[in-house]
Amino acid sequence: MRIRPYIPNKDYEYISKWIDNERIHAFWCANRLSYPISQKSFHDFLEKNSMDWTDSAYVATENNGQPVGFFCYSVNAESNIGFLKFIIVDSTKRGEGYGKGMLNLALQYAFQITGAEAVQLNVFNENTSAKRCYEKVGFVERNIDKDAFSYKDELWSRCNMIVSKQ
């Protein structure tokens, strides 16, 4: 597996297929984009986040170049803490270790290339498979905001997790 910068005209078609229902969409972006996503809204969103938060978008690929995952990453220059966002894996490959592999590469990039001392992310407690994946690569719970997000008739808690450089 490799990671590389997101290529809008090449990678969007894959990512749009992985977000195949409203619940997955809400877990992925907390409804910051409307469902279903469009190429224009997604790219406008990525551009806004790059300007506001210095986020960069990345794709994880199989060794043959086939996209299997996506995430955004930025590092806060003042705190020297990186932030992973909008993490998603190909829906046909979930539960097979792809998320763990992608996150290990993202953390290697964060610690070795960007020099971050720690990396954090947010996940909804209700997204148990994602939370387990994050724990497997070393993220630990830092705090929980109870009932932070409303999805249909549910209230989801947002968990902030962090991993420090070894």
Side-chain angles (χ1 to χ4, degrees):
M1 181 180 290
R2 298 179 167 109
I3 58 172
R4 63 161 170 77
Y6 172 77
I7 303 168
N9 292 329
K10 182 176 185 172
D11 299 327
Y12 172 79
E13 69 176 285
Y14 294 97
I15 296 161
S16 66
K17 292 175 185 156
W18 304 338
I19 306 162
D20 55 5
N21 68 61
E22 286 183 67
R23 188 175 187 85
I24 294 295
H25 177 265
F27 278 158
W28 174 66
C29 74
N31 289 341
R32 287 184 169 85
L33 288 158
S34 59
Y35 179 82
I37 64 172
S38 72
Q39 189 168 3
K40 180 174 177 10
S41 68
F42 184 55
H43 293 153
D44 288 350
F45 180 73
L46 291 178
E47 181 158 341
K48 181 174 178 5
N49 281 352
S50 72
M51 297 303 291
D52 292 350
W53 306 105
T54 68
D55 285 3
S56 294
Y58 296 90
V59 169
T61 67
E62 299 267 24
N63 289 337
N64 67 7
Q66 174 78 27
V68 293
F70 173 87
F71 63 94
C72 289
Y73 174 76
S74 62
V75 64
N76 180 310
E78 290 177 24
S79 67
N80 206 27
I81 295 177
F83 205 110
L84 287 168
K85 303 175 189 171
F86 310 112
I87 302 162
I88 193 160
V89 170
D90 180 337
S91 52
T92 66
K93 299 190 181 301
R94 291 184 191 137
E96 297 178 22
Y98 284 86
K100 185 178 173 185
M102 177 176 75
L103 288 167
N104 279 324
L105 288 173
L107 291 175
Q108 184 178 347
Y109 175 79
F111 295 138
Q112 293 178 9
I113 305 298
T114 73
E117 292 298 319
V119 176
Q120 66 176 325
L121 56 76
N122 290 324
V123 61
F124 292 116
N125 263 357
E126 290 71 11
N127 192 351
T128 54
S129 59
K131 192 171 180 188
R132 265 194 317 274
C133 177
Y134 303 148
E135 289 168 343
K136 285 179 185 175
V137 296
F139 283 90
V140 294
E141 218 172 82
R142 191 156 69 165
N143 61 40
I144 294 180
D145 294 324
K146 296 280 293 170
D147 304 334
F149 181 77
S150 177
Y151 175 75
K152 298 192 177 188
D153 60 350
E154 303 172 34
L155 287 175
W156 295 350
S157 297
R158 182 178 50 242
C159 178
N160 178 262
M161 302 181 82
I162 194 163
V163 63
S164 295
K165 188 175 184 177
Q166 301 296 344

